[in-house]
Amino acid sequence: LVPVYITAMALSRRELDELKPWVSSVTTEMLGFPETAVVSAAMDCVAKNMEKESMAVQLTTLLEDVASSFVDKLTAQVELIKQSRAAGESTGRKRKRVRNYIFAIVFACLPVSLSVCMSVCQYVCLSLFVCLSVCLFVCL
C-alpha cells in the first residue's frame, strides 16, 4: 500500500496579497519596528503551504524568541482565511440554488397574476426585494 498525503489547499494570490498587510502589522507589533525581511520570509512560507513546525524553524533565525508566537498567530490567520473562503463557496452555491428556485417559480407563474407569483416566490426564498424585482420584471 502506498501512503496518501492530503495537504490543505494553498492560498490564492489574492488571498496572499490580502494577508501581507496583516503580516506586516503583526511583525511591527512584535518587533517594535517594520522588518521587510520577516514579512517576505513569512509570506514565502505561507505561499509554499509550509507546516507550522517548518515555518517556526524557517523564521527562528529572523525572529528568535518570538518566532513561535508569531507562527501561531500567522497559522491562525491563514486558517481564518481558508475558513472564510470555504464559507463563501457554500454561500455562493446556496445563492445559485435560491436563484434557480426563483426563476423556476416565476416562469411557472407567468400565466397567473403578480400577487400569486410574489406569494409563492416569497415562500421559497424569504427575500421580498429579490422576489419583487424578479416578479415585476417577468410578470409585467
Side-chain angles (χ1 to χ4, degrees), residues 10-121:
L11 297 181
S12 69
R13 177 62 49 199
R14 184 182 56 84
E15 291 167 333
L16 287 171
D17 290 341
E18 291 174 1
L19 179 65
K20 192 171 184 174
W22 181 89
V23 172
S24 181
S25 68
V26 170
T27 302
T28 303
E29 174 188 314
M30 295 184 92
L31 297 176
F33 56 92
E35 182 60 52
T36 56
V38 174
V39 174
S40 296
M43 293 305 296
D44 188 47
C45 290
V46 173
K48 291 179 180 175
N49 205 22
M50 289 179 131
E51 295 290 324
K52 190 174 183 177
E53 295 79 21
S54 302
M55 269 193 225
V57 169
Q58 183 91 12
L59 297 174
T60 298
T61 57
L62 297 170
L63 293 171
E64 298 170 356
D65 298 338
V66 294
S68 63
S69 62
F70 176 80
V71 169
D72 288 340
K73 289 181 180 183
L74 180 59
T75 54
Q77 185 68 19
V78 168
E79 286 305 312
L80 253 169
I81 291 170
K82 288 179 181 179
Q83 288 172 359
S84 68
R85 173 178 48 189
E89 288 173 356
S90 65
T91 303
R93 284 190 297 255
K94 182 179 178 183
R95 191 175 301 132
K96 185 176 180 181
R97 186 176 66 241
V98 168
R99 186 185 67 220
N100 289 342
Y101 283 147
I102 291 172
F103 284 117
I105 291 168
V106 167
F107 287 119
C109 294
L110 277 176
V112 296
S113 69
L114 178 63
S115 60
V116 172
C117 181
M118 278 296 298
S119 62
V120 173
C121 188

